[in-house]
Amino acid sequence: MKNNEFYIKKCIELAEQSVKKGEAPFGSLIVKNGKIIVKVTNANEKKCDVTSHAEIMAMRKAQKKLKSKDLKDCEIYSNCEPCPMCSFMMRELHFKKVVFGVRSPNMGGKSKWNILQDKGLSKIKPFFSDEPEVVGGVLEKECKETYTKIGWGDFLEKL
């Protein structure tokens, strides 16, 4: 079985592809039973839609592919900590595991707002799931290098 680092490396590659497409450097993928079922880049610019974060695009595609809004058997990976908007969706879709690279103390759905681990949300059934396993800081240095390479180093200070 592949480990978290393997999938975060894939997210870093996706983030680099995103930049080549003129998008922000974010990539996300969803895994079910050890197999990548969806991988995407950010699409805010292309779609002229601020909700087209890589994680949201991945979640939309996974729901269509699996024909379900219950993704309890899935894990989601991202090179950057999910924002509050993405984190709420992850909870509502019942992900069992959320893994990310760069922490986001100013915008993060765990670090700042704790949406991913909020036990209070778990009580609002059937909308929200129990808290998923959250693993942050995976290959954080490598993820940060992606931002530095494209001149987004000070962006990390704002995250």
Side-chain angles (χ1 to χ4, degrees):
M1 186 167 167
K2 297 174 179 82
N3 65 18
N4 294 338
E5 290 184 0
F6 173 85
Y7 296 119
I8 292 297
K9 283 180 185 175
K10 295 287 182 198
C11 290
I12 292 169
E13 291 170 13
L14 289 166
E16 291 171 351
Q17 290 173 22
S18 187
V19 170
K20 290 177 184 171
K21 295 178 187 177
E23 297 285 347
F26 302 105
S28 183
L29 57 86
I30 295 177
V31 173
K32 182 175 181 180
N33 299 325
K35 181 181 175 193
I36 297 172
I37 61 166
V38 172
K39 55 184 180 177
V40 298
T41 62
N42 234 47
N44 290 10
E45 299 301 321
K46 177 183 173 186
K47 294 187 175 283
C48 293
D49 178 359
V50 297
T51 68
S52 294
H53 291 192
E55 298 91 342
I56 289 176
M57 300 299 294
M59 290 184 276
R60 287 175 180 158
K61 285 186 175 188
Q63 289 177 85
K64 285 181 183 172
K65 184 171 188 164
L66 299 173
K67 296 179 173 76
S68 178
K69 59 181 183 160
D70 187 347
L71 303 181
K72 69 180 178 216
D73 296 326
C74 296
E75 304 167 359
I76 188 164
Y77 294 80
S78 180
N79 63 305
C80 186
E81 182 175 352
C83 73
M85 177 174 61
C86 295
S87 297
F88 272 112
M89 283 185 69
M90 289 171 191
R91 289 296 299 273
E92 194 161 345
L93 291 171
H94 306 170
F95 279 92
K96 69 176 180 179
K97 185 175 178 182
V98 177
V99 182
F100 58 87
V102 175
R103 297 175 195 276
S104 180
N106 291 315
M107 291 293 295
K110 177 169 180 354
S111 299
K112 173 72 174 184
W113 307 105
N114 198 30
I115 294 161
L116 293 171
Q117 298 282 269
D118 185 337
K119 292 186 184 308
L121 287 177
S122 300
K123 296 175 185 173
I124 307 171
K125 304 286 188 199
F127 300 105
F128 295 105
S129 64
D130 289 336
E131 312 86 76
E133 176 185 355
V134 177
V135 181
V138 177
L139 296 178
E140 189 163 22
K141 179 182 173 218
E142 291 86 342
C143 290
K144 284 180 178 180
E145 287 171 2
T146 303
Y147 295 101
T148 303
K149 275 194 285 190
I150 62 164
W152 279 42
D154 48 334
F155 170 73
L156 293 173
E157 306 298 318
K158 298 171 187 160
L159 280 177

